[in-house]
Amino acid sequence: MVKCYYCNREAVYSRPYEKKPLCLAHFNKSFINRVKRTISKFKMLQPHDKVAIGLSGGKDSVVLLHVLSKLMRNFPRSKLIAVTIDEGIRGYREESLEIAIRHAEELGVEHNIFSFEEFFGQGLDDLLVTLENKQGDRKGACAYCGILRRRALNEAALRVGANKLATAHNLDDEAQTVLMNMLRGDLGRFGRNDYEPVFKHEKFVPRIKPFMLTPEPEIVLYAVFNGLQYQEMPCPHAVEADRGVIRDMLQMYLERNPGALFNLVRMGAELSELLKQQERKERPLKECKICGNPTAGEICKVCAVLYEAGELDFKTKIDT
Ligand code: SF4
Ligand code: ZN
């Protein structure tokens, strides 16, 4: 039997980048401590915060809901509100909605459900058909879904009166994003990624990512070890994502250098800080000419997608 590094109990997991076997109790403890350290390192939470958490029903958001509802007790008069976005993906969202509802109820967390249809006039599946019919071709589903879901989560957070939006992006997601931005040669993007929540615009709710330094496999283990149910079925559109290729590439490299994800994310954060110091001087934030949301260009990506799809009455839907 392999013993825990910290006590005499049997180890249940050994982190490949640390080589310290951990028993169940010490795994849980170090999992929570890492999230605490991430929150304090990037000044993610303050007393009086009203935090909306994007709760999809997948492993990351379910575990984040449980961990944040525990940790936020240390922040006096703070409040956690779960928001779920129904993108309109048939045969997939129904199960995760049920799971999300159950977890929020169990923890006594207020829960609000919003949909793409409500915000943008169409659900994702319908929008993809519209785009195909109009253009005879379209990008991968995630390219549209990612843009619209970001906005939908922001809109949901505004509607519930939150001053912060917590998303469950984990270390693997963050490292993949850093690498993807590099492979696309998109340096400007680093400057737009905030690690500390900053108020930029009244229509933009600052984001926090308490799991940004937590590896994905540990989130799965936390869910399993603590009996937290989550949706295991992948989204039917997931195969269309570029991310899968990047994930596989990183996975291969991790076998040689298990700490590489931490290095990538740390470099992304440092680069972001450097670029932001410049940008603050050189490039003030613009507002989208159509919907007024903050954007890097003249028209935001959401309006560009909706314009492509011929959703002409979206302005009223977003603004009301
Ligand atoms: Fe949206 Fe793609 Fe995620 Fe499916 S896999 S929910 S389409 S981003
Ligand atoms: Zn816009």
Side-chain angles (χ1 to χ4, degrees):
M1 165 181 114
V2 181
K3 273 194 188 166
C4 174
Y5 181 80
Y6 298 103
C7 71
N8 276 329
R9 277 176 292 225
E10 183 177 2
V12 290
Y13 183 62
S14 184
R15 292 175 168 141
Y17 52 88
E18 208 176 53
K19 304 235 163 46
K20 280 184 195 163
L22 298 171
C23 69
L24 181 57
H26 279 107
F27 171 80
N28 276 343
K29 193 171 168 196
S30 78
F31 184 95
I32 300 279
N33 281 344
R34 172 181 279 145
V35 183
K36 270 192 200 164
R37 283 199 305 275
T38 310
I39 288 174
S40 90
K41 178 173 175 164
F42 294 101
K43 304 183 188 74
M44 290 180 183
L45 291 176
Q46 308 294 335
H48 299 276
D49 269 346
K50 201 168 175 187
V51 179
I53 169 177
L55 176 65
S56 67
K59 60 184 181 347
D60 304 289
S61 68
V62 164
V63 175
L64 185 61
L65 179 77
H66 281 260
V67 171
L68 270 190
S69 75
K70 196 183 290 202
L71 293 183
M72 281 182 62
R73 292 185 205 132
N74 301 327
F75 294 87
R77 288 174 293 284
S78 63
K79 187 175 180 194
L80 185 63
I81 302 172
V83 294
T84 298
I85 307 296
D86 178 357
E87 298 95 343
I89 303 172
R90 282 182 275 275
Y92 167 66
R93 259 295 158 242
E94 297 82 351
E95 184 198 15
S96 55
L97 277 176
E98 269 177 43
I99 293 173
I101 291 169
R102 230 177 303 138
H103 282 286
E105 258 176 24
E106 181 196 325
L107 294 166
V109 172
E110 181 187 325
H111 184 205
N112 296 270
I113 299 170
F114 301 91
S115 68
F116 273 17
E117 194 174 353
E118 170 182 3
F119 288 147
F120 310 120
Q122 293 186 37
L124 184 70
D125 285 347
D126 294 335
L127 189 82
L128 294 174
V129 174
T130 309
L131 286 162
E132 259 163 23
N133 290 343
K134 275 186 81 95
Q135 306 175 332
D137 191 19
R138 63 168 173 84
K139 293 181 225 152
C142 307
Y144 305 105
C145 183
I147 292 169
L148 298 179
R149 203 179 34 190
R150 257 176 98 80
R151 173 66 60 82
L153 275 171
N154 186 69
E155 194 59 31
L158 284 172
R159 291 200 188 181
V160 300
N163 68 325
K164 285 184 188 148
L165 170 61
T167 61
H169 293 97
N170 58 43
L171 178 77
D172 300 55
D173 299 324
E174 282 302 303
Q176 287 155 19
T177 304
V178 170
L179 196 55
M180 267 162 77
N181 290 340
M182 293 178 85
L183 293 173
R184 286 178 184 149
D186 195 349
L187 188 63
R189 230 190 242 199
F190 285 100
R192 298 198 288 278
N193 202 357
D194 292 318
Y195 293 91
E196 283 184 21
V198 212
F199 179 83
K200 286 183 176 168
H201 190 280
E202 57 183 15
K203 282 194 170 189
F204 182 77
V205 183
R207 277 148 206 265
I208 57 171
K209 299 177 201 167
F211 279 168
M212 59 175 279
L213 299 177
T214 302
E216 188 170 291
E218 294 179 32
I219 295 174
V220 179
L221 284 178
Y222 187 92
V224 173
F225 289 159
N226 294 282
L228 305 179
Q229 197 207 357
Y230 60 87
Q231 187 182 35
E232 291 179 50
M233 185 210 300
C235 168
H237 299 297
V239 284
E240 298 176 34
D242 276 359
R243 225 167 238 282
V245 183
I246 304 284
R247 181 182 299 133
D248 295 346
M249 259 169 69
L250 275 173
Q251 205 49 50
M252 265 165 58
Y253 186 70
L254 280 180
E255 281 164 25
R256 286 164 170 266
N257 180 356
L261 298 184
F262 292 101
N263 298 341
L264 266 174
V265 171
R266 197 186 54 238
M267 196 204 65
E270 284 169 6
L271 206 48
S272 151
E273 206 30 59
L274 278 175
L275 285 163
K276 256 186 278 176
Q277 286 169 3
Q278 270 195 350
E279 240 174 53
R280 258 178 227 128
K281 284 179 237 140
E282 288 163 15
R283 216 170 46 165
L285 200 63
K286 290 184 195 164
E287 285 181 358
C288 169
K289 292 217 159 104
I290 298 171
C291 70
N293 276 279
T295 172
E298 298 297 314
I299 295 200
C300 75
K301 287 185 175 173
V302 172
C303 287
V305 169
L306 295 174
Y307 180 75
E308 259 183 71
E311 271 293 329
L312 294 174
D313 59 341
F314 61 86
K315 181 170 172 0
T316 45
K317 291 196 174 81
I318 290 175
D319 282 350
T320 46

